[in-house]
Amino acid sequence: GAEAASQDFFHTSAKKLSRQQAALLAAVLPNPRKFSAKSPSAYVRKRQSWIMVQMNNWGGELKYEEEKTENKK
């Protein structure tokens, strides 16, 4: 799944992906055989951009960091 795709496309583990890399992988999910993360089309880049906006709208890194802090208490 996500780990294999991370290794294949970005040569890193899934937990070390940047936000841009994670969004790019998500952008090809409707059909990873048709859409490529290695050489993304304009359509895939547009989807990546939309996904990154959604990540920011739903809290992005700030929300993730807050949840990690709360779980440690």
Side-chain angles (χ1 to χ4, degrees):
E3 185 64 32
S6 298
Q7 292 291 337
D8 186 40
F9 293 120
F10 303 113
H11 309 288
T12 190
S13 70
K15 69 181 185 178
K16 292 184 179 179
L17 287 176
S18 69
R19 292 167 52 81
Q20 291 82 5
Q21 291 169 325
L24 183 56
L25 287 182
V28 301
L29 281 180
N31 191 343
R33 292 175 194 229
K34 179 180 178 182
F35 304 118
S36 172
K38 286 187 179 178
S39 57
S41 65
Y43 173 75
V44 170
R45 287 290 186 192
K46 185 176 179 181
R47 286 181 51 81
Q48 177 191 27
S49 177
W50 182 86
I51 290 166
M52 290 181 68
V53 167
Q54 298 307 308
M55 291 166 78
N56 288 330
N57 288 343
W58 287 95
E61 290 180 35
L62 179 60
K63 183 174 176 86
Y64 175 73
E65 289 300 321
E66 289 172 357
E67 288 173 357
K68 277 180 37 179
T69 303
E70 288 176 8
N71 287 338
K72 288 182 180 179
K73 294 179 183 177

